[in-house]
Amino acid sequence: MKRIFLFSLIGLLAGPVFSQYTLTDTTVITASRLAEPVQKSGRSVSIITAKEIRELPVTSFDELLRFVTGVEVQGRNGFGAQGDILIRGGTFTQTLILVDGMRMNDPLTGHFNNYLPVSLAEIARVEVLRGPAAAIYGPDAVGGVVHVITHTHLENKAPAAKNSLRAEVAAGEHDLGMISVGGYQNIRNSLLSAGYQLNQSNGEPLPGDLRNDFTLHTASLGFRTNFSNKLSFSLRGGYDHRDFNAQYFYTRSPLDLSRENTSSGWGQAQLMAKSKIGVTHVNSAVKIFRDEFVFNPAFPGNEHTTRLYNLQVTHHKELSNLISLLGGVQGDYRTVQSNDRGDHADGHLGAFFQANYSPVKALGITAALRGDYDQNYGFEVLPQLNIGYHTGRFAFRAASGRSIRAADFTERYIAQNLGTPEAPLSGGRNLGNPDLEAERSWSHELGVDVDITSFLTVSATGFLRQGSNLIDFVFTPASEIPNNERLVDTAAYFFTQNFAQSTTSGLEFALRGSHSFGAYTSLQFQAGYLFVDVRDGDGNRLSPDAKYLASSARHLVNGQFMFRTKYASISINGLWKERNAEAAPDINAVLNGAYQVINVRLSGHTPNQRYTGFVQVVNVFDEQYVDILGAPMPGRWIMGGVRFGIFR
């Protein structure tokens, strides 16, 4: 009862300490490819700055997103080992991840989308855009977009400090060790940025002889040089390596003793040129991802290598103070080489046009249209319209758009090369379907933001998404699966299928604010509530047999509270969710219908924040819970550390 009371208090008075703005602010976002004030974008957006990332009681990118309004992260372990990012009841494959404007979604599986080859220390800000954006950013932007912007890319401007160096070291239970080092340096007209992050632990014991251990490395480097005020060039490279226990991450088979080892490399280049006819950006990127997965030491392991090549050209022209235009083309080519899924390749090309129109100061209208071709679904037309209007204490938002998503290589081909009539594939495993059609959906939303006071804002949004041919793994008897001669006749598998149609509706509320009590003392808070209802074509709640479409929380409350003084600060974040309960007797696993988790960080620092010591407790009340059936999340972990920073 005490836990429920404490969490309710946090939920009412707290929330992610993300950038606070009021309707009279001119906070500029990139919710469209054209930067614009947030109150005129017509979109629901959360912004997380570098300072807030350092102060939050989080240890990884996916943990950072767990406390954003409208966002649900389904973790398979803590500290960033793996987590699926869901926005407004969409699946993890319906969220688009961008790094400095370029697509990061992995062609193998959406489970790897948040494996960013960018250290937390190199992130200048994160923008979370809720709702569709396919007409602007292309396929997969169904539930929303997460845009990671690094120091060398942030609005093509130098950071506030000329030079910066930060280092953090922490240790905790279960041999937990964490290191984070990062900084940047301005050299004349150039900016160099670098970062490294390590999270590792022996993990907590699991049933049997396994532990949920992990070793996670991320290193990244960025460089930008301004040849003049009209020409700049930037480069970015990154490497991410992960080695972790993966038992029951993907299957419910009693034979599952999975372990996974992944590595990814990322390279990106941008040329920006200004002229009398506008601003042109040419971006190219390549991502190489390798995955080694061992389901059980008794069976041969699976090895996959994917490559993503991406090229994008945009041109922006300000016609007047009222009208901005942007046009561009974007293409990518995806390949996979796998002993499990086979060797495949496909390509994609899109051309888009966007116009921002502000006939009066208080009104912003954004219209976008994209023609999209993909080898999986042919040619599609994707329109989008956003309207934002603000007056006094009120800002009204409306958006409508069409989205599309093609099945990834895993959904189409997983286990297609495994099993024979003599040695059939064991039941309970995932099985791909090469005949899948692409998902298509229309999304609509209406919202309002109200400044209750100069430091307190309330937001409310209603949304509706109507989708067809949605893709999911459905628990299916072998007798109902085509070409089942290599399957166990009496077993069932998670076979990928298209749903004829579904409707996702919901409500989203947020309370956010900040207040200063002097030069050194401040309070920031935000609380979010999300209600999601997913129905099939007959108006019925989706069956739990749909592995991912039916897994999103029906009710989600998340929040965080931060109080700072001259020498100390405290931050508390927490969440409560209610979803479908599940059980898997074969692996003795239960997923409860609801759970709550609270994390706390206490910090002491010098006035200039050059030296900081902190103690952090993850899962204060030692809640035993899972997001994915069979994969337990961390219990109570206590850790402590020190941080050192130099800023000039």
Side-chain angles (χ1 to χ4, degrees):
M1 191 68 183
K2 291 181 180 179
R3 278 187 281 174
I4 296 175
F5 173 78
L6 179 56
F7 184 80
S8 299
L9 182 63
I10 295 171
L12 290 173
L13 297 177
V17 190
F18 306 142
S19 282
Q20 308 303 323
Y21 56 86
T22 61
L23 304 184
T24 57
D25 284 341
T26 57
T27 303
V28 175
I29 60 170
T30 55
S32 67
R33 291 189 185 273
L34 295 174
E36 59 189 336
V38 64
Q39 70 272 21
K40 295 173 65 174
S41 69
R43 305 309 304 267
S44 175
V45 182
S46 292
I47 304 169
I48 316 169
T49 67
K51 180 180 179 181
E52 293 151 0
I53 292 173
R54 293 191 298 270
E55 295 179 341
L56 293 170
V58 299
T59 60
S60 64
F61 180 67
D62 59 341
E63 287 185 6
L64 179 68
L65 298 178
R66 284 177 72 90
F67 307 101
V68 178
T69 300
V71 178
E72 178 186 2
V73 176
Q74 296 180 348
R76 288 171 170 79
N77 198 344
F79 303 92
Q82 189 177 107
D84 295 337
I85 302 169
L86 290 65
I87 299 180
R88 288 183 174 174
T91 65
F92 60 94
T93 55
Q94 295 175 340
T95 299
L96 177 62
I97 310 296
L98 303 173
V99 173
D100 291 342
M102 299 297 282
R103 300 171 59 88
M104 275 293 299
N105 284 32
D106 194 85
L108 184 68
T109 171
H111 294 310
F112 300 150
N113 284 352
N114 72 325
Y115 285 9
L116 293 184
V118 179
S119 66
L120 286 179
E122 265 218 282
I123 298 176
R125 64 195 277 173
V126 179
E127 295 179 359
V128 180
L129 165 64
R130 293 174 282 273
I136 300 170
Y137 289 114
D140 306 332
V142 180
V145 176
V146 178
H147 190 184
V148 177
I149 304 171
T150 66
H151 287 297
T152 54
H153 191 83
L154 181 61
E155 300 169 0
N156 285 316
K157 297 179 181 178
K162 182 177 180 180
N163 301 316
S164 173
L165 174 63
R166 298 180 187 274
E168 181 177 308
V169 178
E173 296 180 276
H174 309 294
D175 293 325
L176 175 68
M178 297 187 296
I179 298 173
S180 178
V181 181
Y184 54 81
Q185 183 171 11
N186 281 275
I187 308 172
R188 293 184 179 178
N189 295 321
S190 300
L191 176 66
L192 178 66
S193 176
Y196 171 74
Q197 186 171 348
L198 166 68
N199 288 354
Q200 67 176 10
S201 169
N202 290 337
E204 298 170 303
L206 302 174
D209 298 327
L210 298 180
R211 302 179 70 94
N212 58 349
D213 65 294
F214 53 86
T215 300
L216 318 173
H217 299 269
T218 304
S220 54
L221 179 68
F223 173 76
R224 185 183 80 237
T225 186
N226 299 320
F227 299 110
S228 69
N229 60 359
K230 295 184 178 181
L231 185 65
S232 69
F233 178 72
S234 62
L235 285 172
R236 168 154 298 283
Y239 178 75
D240 183 271
H241 179 262
R242 298 163 187 252
D243 184 9
F244 52 89
N245 168 78
Q247 185 181 36
Y248 305 135
F249 277 24
Y250 316 112
T251 83
R252 300 177 187 176
S253 169
L255 301 177
D256 191 340
L257 298 174
S258 297
R259 185 159 197 90
E260 195 149 21
N261 189 306
T262 71
S263 60
S264 61
W266 171 261
Q268 181 176 349
Q270 175 183 269
L271 179 67
M272 185 276 292
K274 296 181 181 179
S275 66
K276 294 181 179 180
I277 61 172
V279 182
T280 301
H281 290 85
V282 180
N283 288 273
S284 62
V286 59
K287 177 183 178 182
I288 301 175
F289 189 92
R290 293 184 174 88
D291 176 46
E292 298 178 0
F293 178 78
V294 177
F295 170 71
N296 186 303
F299 305 117
N302 299 331
E303 296 184 2
H304 325 285
T305 299
T306 59
R307 290 176 171 84
L308 172 64
Y309 304 95
N310 203 337
L311 178 65
Q312 179 175 281
V313 181
T314 63
H315 183 75
H316 167 215
K317 174 65 175 177
E318 297 275 353
L319 293 185
S320 68
N321 293 332
L322 304 181
I323 302 175
S324 297
L325 301 178
L326 180 140
V329 293
Q330 181 263 324
D332 56 76
Y333 185 68
R334 309 171 292 262
T335 70
V336 62
Q337 296 173 298
S338 169
N339 64 321
D340 167 78
R341 293 153 176 77
D343 297 348
H344 308 276
D346 51 42
H348 163 264
L349 180 66
F352 51 90
F353 175 80
Q354 178 185 334
N356 285 14
Y357 177 49
S358 182
V360 295
K361 185 177 181 180
L363 178 65
I365 301 172
T366 300
L369 184 67
R370 184 183 183 99
D372 211 69
Y373 174 79
D374 193 283
Q375 289 181 247
N376 292 285
Y377 52 75
F379 183 77
E380 295 284 338
V381 177
L382 306 174
Q384 176 97 27
L385 179 65
N386 309 328
I387 301 175
Y389 178 77
H390 70 97
T391 175
R393 294 185 175 185
F394 297 87
F396 300 94
R397 298 175 277 105
S400 182
R402 187 170 186 264
S403 302
I404 193 165
R405 186 187 77 84
D408 58 38
F409 288 134
T410 291
E411 290 168 323
R412 282 182 280 165
Y413 303 116
I414 185 172
Q416 286 295 310
N417 284 7
L418 302 181
T420 65
E422 296 76 22
L425 189 70
S426 60
R429 299 186 63 175
N430 293 339
L431 187 63
N433 181 356
D435 299 322
L436 290 171
E437 296 185 32
E439 299 179 343
R440 295 168 173 85
S441 63
W442 275 96
S443 299
H444 319 278
E445 65 179 84
L446 289 172
V448 60
D449 305 317
V450 183
D451 278 347
I452 303 299
T453 69
S454 61
F455 58 86
L456 183 64
T457 301
V458 176
S459 301
T461 307
F463 58 89
L464 175 68
R465 184 167 61 248
Q466 297 168 305
S468 61
N469 294 327
L470 297 187
I471 300 168
D472 203 351
F473 291 85
V474 180
F475 204 53
T476 308
S479 59
E480 300 178 12
I481 298 175
N483 304 316
N484 60 4
E485 61 276 359
R486 57 193 178 86
L487 308 179
V488 178
D489 293 340
T490 57
Y493 300 81
F494 284 99
F495 180 58
T496 327
Q497 300 182 35
N498 285 111
F499 283 80
Q501 61 182 16
S502 71
T503 300
T504 301
S505 58
L507 295 172
E508 177 185 284
F509 297 95
L511 174 69
R512 61 180 181 269
S514 61
H515 186 66
S516 296
F517 302 93
Y520 299 101
T521 305
S522 64
L523 170 70
Q524 288 182 292
F525 57 87
Q526 180 174 328
Y529 168 71
L530 176 69
F531 167 75
V532 175
D533 186 47
V534 185
R535 304 272 173 169
D536 62 20
D538 297 323
N540 301 314
R541 294 274 302 275
L542 281 185
S543 166
D545 287 342
K547 187 172 184 180
Y548 295 116
L549 285 171
S551 70
S552 63
R554 184 171 172 82
H555 300 277
L556 173 64
V557 178
N558 50 13
Q560 185 155 329
F561 166 91
M562 180 175 288
F563 182 70
R564 302 183 186 93
T565 67
K566 186 174 182 179
Y567 297 105
S569 65
I570 179 172
S571 60
I572 306 172
N573 62 23
L575 64 85
W576 172 85
K577 69 167 68 174
E578 181 184 271
R579 68 275 168 90
N580 291 326
E582 293 185 79
D586 289 347
I587 60 174
N588 194 30
V590 175
L591 186 150
N592 295 326
Y595 75 79
Q596 57 190 11
V597 174
I598 295 175
N599 307 318
V600 177
R601 173 180 281 197
L602 297 172
S603 300
H605 51 76
T606 57
N608 59 7
Q609 296 192 2
R610 176 166 290 186
Y611 303 97
T612 299
F614 65 89
V615 175
Q616 182 170 324
V617 183
V618 173
N619 194 355
V620 172
F621 296 107
D622 199 24
E623 183 88 356
Q624 304 301 300
Y625 72 101
V626 300
D627 283 329
I628 302 297
L629 187 62
M633 292 292 287
R636 182 192 298 116
W637 286 44
I638 301 175
M639 64 197 76
V642 294
R643 181 190 301 138
F644 170 76
I646 299 177
F647 329 101
R648 293 190 303 216

